[in-house]
Amino acid sequence: MLNLDPVTFIIMIVNLIVLYILLRWLFFKPVNNFLEKRRQKVHDDLDNAQRDREEAQRLLEEHRQLVAENKQEAAKIIDNAVRQADMRKEEIIAQAGQEAAAMLERAKAEIAQEQVKVMEELRADISNLAVAVAEKMLARNLTAQDQEAIFTAVLEELESHAN
Amino acid sequence: MSSLDEVLEGAKTVFTVFGLPITESVVNTWLVMAVLIILAIVLRRNLQMYPDKRQNIVEIIVEGLTGLVTSTMGPKNKNFTPFIGTVFLLIAFSNILGIFGLRSPTADFSVTFAYGIVTFFCIHFFALKAKGWSYIKGFGQPFIFLLPINIIGEVAKPFSLGMRLFGNLLGGSVIMAMISGAIAIFVPAVASIYFDLFSGFLQSFIFIMLTMVFITIAKDDDD
């Protein structure tokens, strides 16, 4: 019982070493490798998730900024358009006013011209008429001097009437 | 249950090979080894990222042992886990063999002393590997005349390890045999839970704790 059996003793040492080698090869090594691999995977996954979250945050920030910029841009464009339209309106109104004034001017000038022309025609007609009337009344031919004097007098009279 | 006489008689020779006696202890150890190897193969088959019940058991065993080794020996000695784990499983399963009515191989001093000697060589092999010549010089510390005492202390370790395990297991077997002889019903079952199962695990735990502490002190202590 307490005596040492050398055969058992040596076999047990061999047994222990063999079992150690077998268990390490069959059990501890593969399981440990697997656990290490999984630890690594979990670690990587967490890292990736963190990175993705940061990326998403960054993109969101970027988009927000972009949207704000676009809004500003749009406001500016609308503002510009409104200002331009205003300017154009003023221009058109001014042009219309000018055109109207020019037309009025032209009409006035034409009227004045017409007046002058009519007056001239009238003057010629009246002088002829006056001469004919005077001739008839005097029943004689006037000298050129008389004719001139009468003509002038009639004309002056007419003019003072016309005015 | 073996009777008291059978227990005290020691391990019987089962058969002989080339005139060498193969005892009950050796045969039973082979049985334990076969069980452990089959369990190892069955348990570690197709490990998944999402563990099932079987894999949880595997992970508890491996991570528990790894945790025990790293907390006792420090993280840099994590590589001792397979050795410590093997010793633990072998001794624990050998110890609880009594539950099945078989003779525990660890109730044989030839067996426990063999384990103690393996531990002894581990202690000094790894210490020499780590410290080299200064480890040998360490035996003359703090005074050179303590050299014999230090050597005796080292030589005593495998004996103390072997004797402790052997004594506890034999004592358990003797008490179990006595209880079985006195009262045959119910009481032996309850006593077996303590003497075979609890004490068996406790003693294998003590054995590996001492092994780890001895190796770590010899290997990593700076003085």
Side-chain angles (χ1 to χ4, degrees), chain B residues 182-204:
Chain B
I183 316 159
I185 304 167
F186 184 68
V187 183
V190 179
S192 181
I193 290 173
Y194 177 81
F195 287 110
D196 291 327
L197 201 61
F198 175 72
S199 173
F201 269 109
L202 187 68
Q203 287 308 320
S204 46

Side-chain angles (χ1 to χ4, degrees), chain A residues 79-104:
Chain A
D79 209 41
N80 260 356
V82 168
R83 199 142 13 98
Q84 235 161 12
D86 271 352
M87 263 156 62
R88 188 93 187 99
K89 189 176 81 181
E90 298 290 320
E91 233 169 66
I92 288 168
I93 290 171
Q95 214 176 354
Q98 267 175 1
E99 261 168 37
M103 260 159 76
L104 198 64

Side-chain angles (χ1 to χ4, degrees), chain B residues 52-85:
Chain B
D52 53 9
K53 268 185 195 161
R54 175 181 58 82
Q55 193 176 330
N56 276 330
I57 295 170
V58 177
E59 289 180 15
I60 287 167
I61 293 171
V62 173
E63 294 199 313
L65 285 169
T66 309
L68 187 65
V69 170
T70 46
S71 64
T72 312
M73 302 179 78
K76 66 173 176 175
N77 291 326
K78 201 180 152 197
N79 288 340
F80 279 95
T81 307
F83 175 69
I84 300 296

Side-chain angles (χ1 to χ4, degrees), chain A residues 26-56:
Chain A
L26 286 172
F27 189 65
F28 286 104
K29 269 255 165 80
V31 173
N32 242 334
N33 285 348
F34 168 77
L35 290 177
E36 193 51 48
K37 210 166 70 192
R38 190 171 58 189
R39 222 185 327 268
Q40 193 59 43
K41 185 177 149 38
V42 169
H43 193 262
D44 286 355
D45 284 356
L46 285 177
D47 271 7
N48 281 345
Q50 176 69 24
R51 219 181 5 251
D52 286 355
R53 204 162 36 232
E54 275 166 13
E55 175 77 9

Side-chain angles (χ1 to χ4, degrees), chain A residues 5 12 15 22 26 34 38, chain B residues 30 44 48 55 59 110:
Chain A
D5 172 16
M12 290 319 294
N15 276 352
L22 283 177
L26 286 172
F34 168 77
R38 190 171 58 189
Chain B
W30 284 338
R44 81 97 221 263
Q48 305 291 324
Q55 193 176 330
E59 289 180 15
S110 306

